[in-house]
Each structure stands twice: as C-alpha cells, then as structure tokens.
Amino acid sequence: QVQLVESGGGLVQAGESLKLSCAASGSIFSINTMAWFRQAPGKQRDLVASIILGGRTNYADSVKGRFTISRDGATAYLQMNSLKAEDTAVYYCAAADKLQIQAMGLIPQYEYWGQGTQVTVSS
C-alpha cells in the first residue's frame, strides 16, 4: 500500500512560478511511475507529467517547456514556471506499481492517488 500527500498549492499571478510536492509513504519501493494530474471544474482529469524508473519523463503538450517533474527519494515534485490562468486546477499526485504491456509500449496503471492541492493562477 502507498499513501500520497500533496502540498505546495496556492494562489499566484500569471507568469510566476510554483513548486508542488508529493510525499509518498508505505511500500514506496514498489512504485514504478509517479505522475501529476490536474482537473479543472467541469473538465476531465488529465495527465500533466510523469516520471518512470530511470528518470524518463513525459509531459502534456500544454505544459512542455514550462513544467518539470522530478523525484528525490520518496518525494515527487512538479516545478511550474510561466504559469497561465488556464493552469488553474486541482493537482493530484498519482503512483503506479504495475505496467500494462501494450503494442505501443508500457502503460502505467495508477492505483494510488493523493487528495489533491488547489493551484489558482490569476491574470
């Protein structure tokens, strides 16, 4: 079992930066992939960024060049620069300890989720 707790959300102005943290506890050595998702009111939850064993990262097109995901021990981070009003959402940390084999590659199966942290960007 893995528990995830997000922190670092808040209110910032457009163009500023913010860094989110996700502290993992429990069976942390079973984690293959950690990721950040976000969900704005009335919209679906979308993948923002992910990082797998070995350090390879993946980003949504909307945040490429602005956001950076990283890991340090049992904590994952999301550095968010040049924030825009459209980045406003609840941000969720997620972790996967299983990978689904597909013809296109390995797909993380996210089983563990944090409670979310609010990020609001004013313009």
Side-chain angles (χ1 to χ4, degrees), residues 1-23:
Q1 189 71 268
V2 174
Q3 296 80 45
L4 304 173
V5 179
E6 305 99 331
S7 63
L11 173 64
V12 298
Q13 295 183 339
E16 296 184 341
S17 298
L18 198 63
K19 188 172 185 177
L20 305 182
S21 298
C22 174

Side-chain angles (χ1 to χ4, degrees), residues 38-41 84-91 118-122:
R38 68 185 181 186
Q39 185 170 25
K84 307 174 181 179
E86 64 191 75
D87 295 318
T88 296
V90 176
Y91 284 70
Q118 177 71 46
V119 172
T120 302
V121 184
S122 63

Side-chain angles (χ1 to χ4, degrees), residues 18-69:
L18 198 63
K19 188 172 185 177
L20 305 182
S21 298
C22 174
S25 61
S27 301
I28 59 175
F29 295 107
S30 68
I31 297 174
N32 300 126
T33 308
M34 297 190 72
W36 289 94
F37 289 75
R38 68 185 181 186
Q39 185 170 25
K43 302 185 69 176
Q44 66 180 18
R45 186 175 299 182
D46 294 323
L47 176 68
V48 176
S50 63
I51 184 167
I52 63 175
L53 290 176
R56 184 172 183 177
T57 57
N58 181 63
Y59 297 93
D61 288 341
S62 60
V63 306
K64 286 182 178 178
R66 298 189 298 119
F67 290 10
T68 302
I69 188 171

Side-chain angles (χ1 to χ4, degrees), residues 86-105:
E86 64 191 75
D87 295 318
T88 296
V90 176
Y91 284 70
Y92 297 90
C93 182
D97 59 9
K98 299 178 182 177
L99 298 174
Q100 177 70 49
I101 300 176
Q102 303 279 4
M104 66 192 77

